[in-house]
């Protein structure tokens, strides 16, 4: 089996830089060994608490430090969250991800509300993921008891570049939370963003940190920076499809059993471009007209695309081959 967790950076770099069609072919081969390659998981995001975040992540429209078109809203009501999840499930989502613009979770009535919502959505038979910032051990334990399947907490970039993007917490903080999540028996969803001005070495550094985890994350979201007006990264150009394919394929080859998710930045991509990403090993998308705050292809559009490609929705809790 192609399972390893001791990648050295030079090896990852040589995979990433290999001739494009060789790279896609290798990634497609690894993908087909470990997954039903005609299945794509459709996930849906619900921003349960939007904006007003105390952190300073330079890409993020939800940071309170930047003047963006995101107006802070309080935590949604439990019933509203559950109703939105129901709609997403009716629309074909088999994983629902709840996002909150928090630095960390506080033990509070708000956390209790989130726990109840997780229980209710889990009882509908789908995978529930959430991304709420940093967690303590006891909070992770309570999330697990509420039925939470996965926790999203991205490393975003290499350890070297991280402090150029976020200064209000450290890479170490991120790694600590990942450990807390793992120890609570919750599936780890951890990926990053490309297009923030990082070097190729930084992208390799991100893959190096992810692929060398033991175990590596079960879910790896690949976000393309969506430059948002008012954030320090508003002027960054959109990354090219070739860079996107290279990072997707490198993630697939180094983390064969992971779900590689096309996350932010898919709206700008044609069907042809997305087809190449699926060929290169991506096997999940976020569907629905909004990600957390940014626009995204809606369910109907994605349904048409997947049908056209002959791709079928991957059921919740599918095992890898
Ligand atoms: N506050 C929590 C945290 O930081 O872990 C969860 C929410 S945060 C919005 C989740 C992820 O969204 C970030 O780690 C980042 O990878 C991604 N993201 C946020 N803004 C983005 C943007 N403008 N373009 C691409 N990805 C973005
Ligand atoms: C992840 O890596 N990407 C998703 C999910 N995990 C939470 C979020 C993307 C957010 C894109 C910007 C926005 O909508 O505000
Ligand atoms: Fe806050 Fe998360 Fe946005 Fe950073 S990425 S500003 S922690 S919501």
């Amino acid at each position: 089996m192609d399972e390893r967790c001791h990648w050295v950076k030079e090896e990852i770099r040589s995979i990433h830089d290999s001739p494009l069609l060789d790279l896609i072919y290798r990634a497609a081969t690894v993908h087909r060994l470990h997954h039903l390659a005609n299945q794509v998981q459709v996930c849906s995001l619900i921003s349960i608490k939007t904006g007003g975040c105390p952190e300073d992540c330079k890409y993020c429209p939800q940071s309170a430090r930047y003047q963006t078109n995101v107006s802070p809203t309080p935590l949604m009501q439990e019933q509203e969250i559950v109703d939105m999840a129901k709609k997403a499930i009716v629309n074909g989502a088999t994983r629902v991800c709840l996002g909150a613009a928090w630095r960390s979770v506080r033990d509070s009535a708000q956390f209790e509300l989130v726990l109840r919502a997780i229980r209710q959505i889990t009882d509908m038979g789908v995978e529930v993921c959430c991304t709420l910032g940093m967690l303590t051990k006891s909070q992770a334990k309570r999330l697990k008891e509420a039925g939470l399947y996965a926790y999203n907490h991205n490393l975003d970039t290499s350890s070297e570049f991280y402090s150029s993007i976020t200064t209000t917490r450290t890479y170490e903080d991120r790694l600590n939370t990942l450990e807390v999540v793992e120890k609570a028996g919750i599936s780890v969803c951890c990926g990053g963003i490309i297009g923030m001005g990082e070097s190729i070495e930084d992208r390799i550094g991100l893959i190096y940190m992810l692929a060398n985890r033991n175990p590596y994350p079960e879910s790896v979201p690949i976000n393309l920076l969506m430059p948002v007006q008012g954030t320090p990264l508003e002027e960054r150009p959109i990354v090219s499809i070739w860079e996107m394919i290279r990072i997707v394929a490198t993630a697939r080859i180094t983390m064969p059993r992971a779900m590689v998710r096309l996350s932010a930045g898919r709206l700008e991509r044609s069907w042809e471009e997305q087809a190449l990403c699926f060929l290169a090993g991506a096997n999940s998308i976020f569907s629905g007209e909004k990600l957390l705050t940014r626009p995204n292809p809606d369910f109907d559009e994605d349904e048409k695309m997947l049908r056209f490609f002959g791709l079928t929705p991957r059921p919740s809790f599918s095992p890898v081959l």
Side-chain angles (χ1 to χ4, degrees):
M1 256 225 275
D2 219 332
E3 278 309 79
R4 330 216 328 228
C5 49
H6 51 271
W7 295 94
V8 297
K9 285 190 183 163
E10 290 71 22
E11 255 179 315
I12 303 174
R13 176 88 203 216
S14 82
I15 292 170
H16 178 276
D17 291 353
S18 57
L20 190 75
L21 300 185
D22 291 347
L23 175 63
I24 295 175
Y25 180 76
R26 179 167 174 194
T29 308
V30 171
H31 186 193
R32 277 158 170 72
L33 275 174
H34 296 89
H35 300 268
L36 297 175
N38 281 329
Q39 284 191 345
V40 167
Q41 186 171 33
V42 176
C43 313
S44 170
L45 278 166
I46 305 174
S47 185
I48 60 171
K49 192 268 166 189
T50 307
C53 183
E55 302 281 61
D56 69 350
C57 313
K58 287 195 174 54
Y59 51 78
C60 189
Q62 301 199 68
S63 166
R65 309 195 180 211
Y66 317 129
Q67 287 273 312
T68 67
N69 67 355
V70 172
S71 24
T73 51
L75 182 66
M76 277 164 57
Q77 298 295 313
E78 182 182 340
Q79 196 53 47
E80 203 186 336
I81 300 172
V82 172
D83 288 346
M84 284 186 76
K86 261 188 209 147
K87 265 197 206 147
I89 295 167
V90 168
N91 278 314
T94 61
R95 181 165 169 126
V96 173
C97 178
L98 310 178
W102 287 332
R103 167 177 163 77
S104 55
V105 170
R106 265 180 285 176
D107 293 311
S108 61
Q110 298 206 333
F111 183 44
E112 300 299 321
L113 184 154
V114 175
L115 291 169
R116 289 194 301 274
I118 291 169
R119 168 51 60 203
Q120 289 209 54
I121 305 169
T122 300
D123 288 346
M124 295 182 217
V126 293
E127 295 169 24
V128 182
C129 174
C130 65
T131 180
L132 314 170
M134 291 183 259
L135 289 181
T136 64
K137 277 187 204 157
S138 72
Q139 290 163 345
K141 184 162 171 275
R142 295 209 57 209
L143 286 165
K144 174 74 182 172
E145 285 163 1
L148 187 75
Y149 183 72
Y151 196 81
N152 166 251
H153 202 67
N154 291 339
L155 287 176
D156 280 340
T157 189
S158 67
S159 56
E160 294 80 11
F161 193 63
Y162 195 76
S163 59
S164 319
I165 294 299
T166 301
T167 67
T168 48
R169 55 170 187 248
T170 63
Y171 213 68
E172 228 14 69
D173 290 332
R174 280 322 249 187
L175 292 169
N176 285 341
T177 301
L178 289 174
E179 202 177 315
V180 165
V181 169
E182 230 159 52
K183 287 212 168 122
I186 299 170
S187 174
V188 170
C189 172
C190 183
I193 314 186
I194 61 168
M196 302 186 293
E198 74 286 347
S199 64
I200 301 296
E201 256 336 281
D202 291 316
R203 293 181 193 169
I204 303 305
L206 168 68
I207 299 285
Y208 173 84
M209 290 304 292
L210 297 173
N212 282 333
R213 290 186 71 74
N214 191 9
Y216 55 77
E218 285 170 48
S219 162
V220 179
I222 307 286
N223 296 278
L224 305 190
L225 176 74
M226 302 181 83
V228 179
Q229 211 182 356
T231 63
L233 300 184
E234 63 182 359
E235 302 283 0
R236 297 298 321 168
I238 301 282
V239 302
S240 86
I241 181 63
W242 311 118
E243 291 178 81
M244 181 181 185
I245 291 168
R246 284 192 182 280
I247 204 76
V248 164
T250 307
R252 168 55 65 220
I253 293 165
T254 55
M255 294 172 276
R257 297 156 68 85
M259 296 298 295
V260 175
R261 307 190 194 272
L262 303 180
S263 306
R266 206 164 51 77
L267 189 64
E268 291 78 20
R269 301 298 165 185
S270 65
W271 283 15
E272 290 87 339
E273 291 174 331
Q274 294 183 61
L276 282 170
C277 293
F278 294 130
L279 187 61
N283 60 349
S284 171
I285 54 175
F286 284 98
S287 198
E289 60 193 27
K290 221 189 218 181
L291 288 161
L292 292 171
T293 70
R294 299 294 111 192
N296 189 54
D298 64 28
F299 285 105
D300 286 350
E301 170 74 6
D302 282 338
E303 212 248 336
K304 264 192 256 163
M305 175 181 76
L306 296 182
R307 195 151 17 94
F308 184 79
F309 293 163
L311 295 172
T312 52
R314 179 169 169 132
S316 303
F317 311 109
S318 296
V320 279
L321 299 177

